[in-house]
Amino acid sequence: MTIKERIGFVTMTIAAAFVGGAVSGHMFAASAIGAASAPKMLTAQKFLLVDSHGKTRGVLGITSKGVAQVAVFDGAGTLRAGLGVASNGAPALGIFGKNGKTRVEVGLNGNSVSRIVLFDPQGKSQASFGVGPDGQSGLALMDKEGNPRATLIVAPDGSPTLRLADQHRGRVGLDVTPDGLPGLALLSTDGKTRAALTLNSDGSGALTLFDANGQPASSVP
């Protein structure tokens, strides 16, 4: 296995799926509704739930994009929670702040990637956790601009990779191969590897320095 294979970074895709909102409310007891007089079926494209002042507090309907969703609003008319299922079968749950910005997303997209995303009060993603259909799991932490700054990924074979980044790309990488060999890599601002510290299968360590083009220039031993 070459040094570049040892220090290669795993790309983590944070999948985005439609997020409607969460479901909240109370269930009425069967005795509160006359069973004999209750209609057998109601058919409609949208149902509205209003409060005593006629203000919409809940909506059950189908969006123009074919998403079946339940949306729940606060007293000011701001969307606060919802649950939706896209036409391709992808379900999603969303929780929103008082300003209507998304604060939490939980979903399963069409590629069977399950994920949880947390947002700041302005709706910028700050942290996410996902699991792919092949068992790969990943955690990502973002800065206030939404740029990924730290990611931790565990591949299907169990090998972990930690990546630390600046505002544009990864700068530090730490991984352990499936056979238990650790490696550390330092990258330049253009993404080229400039230094690598690895442990070989015979137990010996190696420090390799790379030139500006990412090619090995010297090593110890």
Side-chain angles (χ1 to χ4, degrees):
M1 179 178 293
T2 67
I3 292 177
K4 286 195 174 183
E5 289 174 331
R6 285 288 317 282
I7 62 178
F9 291 117
V10 180
T11 300
M12 177 181 181
T13 301
I14 304 174
F18 170 83
V19 176
V23 178
S24 174
H26 298 282
M27 300 300 294
F28 292 99
S31 59
I33 303 177
S37 61
K40 299 298 183 182
M41 179 182 297
L42 293 176
T43 301
Q45 292 185 337
K46 178 183 283 189
F47 291 92
L48 298 180
L49 178 65
V50 300
D51 61 18
S52 58
H53 302 289
K55 182 171 294 185
T56 300
R57 298 297 303 277
V59 177
L60 171 61
I62 308 295
T63 71
S64 60
K65 295 183 178 180
V67 178
Q69 68 171 4
V70 177
V72 182
F73 303 83
D74 61 19
T78 303
L79 178 66
R80 298 303 301 277
L83 174 66
V85 178
S87 58
N88 65 356
L93 171 70
I95 304 296
F96 306 86
K98 290 183 178 181
N99 60 357
K101 301 290 186 180
T102 306
R103 297 303 304 275
V104 182
E105 291 181 359
V106 180
L108 179 67
N109 72 5
N111 296 323
S112 296
V113 176
S114 57
R115 84 284 184 277
I116 299 174
V117 185
L118 305 179
F119 301 79
D120 68 12
Q122 301 307 314
K124 288 186 178 293
S125 58
Q126 296 291 281
S128 66
F129 176 71
V131 178
D134 59 356
Q136 175 171 299
S137 58
L139 171 67
L141 302 177
M142 296 77 159
D143 60 22
K144 64 181 181 179
E145 300 301 327
N147 301 310
R149 301 302 294 269
T151 59
L152 175 62
I153 300 168
V154 178
D157 60 11
S159 56
T161 298
L162 172 66
R163 180 175 64 180
L164 304 179
D166 60 18
Q167 294 180 341
H168 306 290
R169 57 177 53 85
R171 300 297 304 278
V172 178
L174 175 66
D175 74 338
V176 179
T177 65
D179 49 355
L181 302 179
L184 172 68
L186 304 179
L187 286 76
S188 59
T189 55
D190 61 358
K192 297 285 196 313
T193 301
R194 299 306 304 270
L197 179 63
T198 58
L199 184 64
N200 301 318
S201 57
D202 61 2
S204 61
L207 172 62
T208 305
L209 302 180
F210 299 79
D211 62 21
N213 296 317
Q215 299 300 317
S218 61
S219 63
V220 178

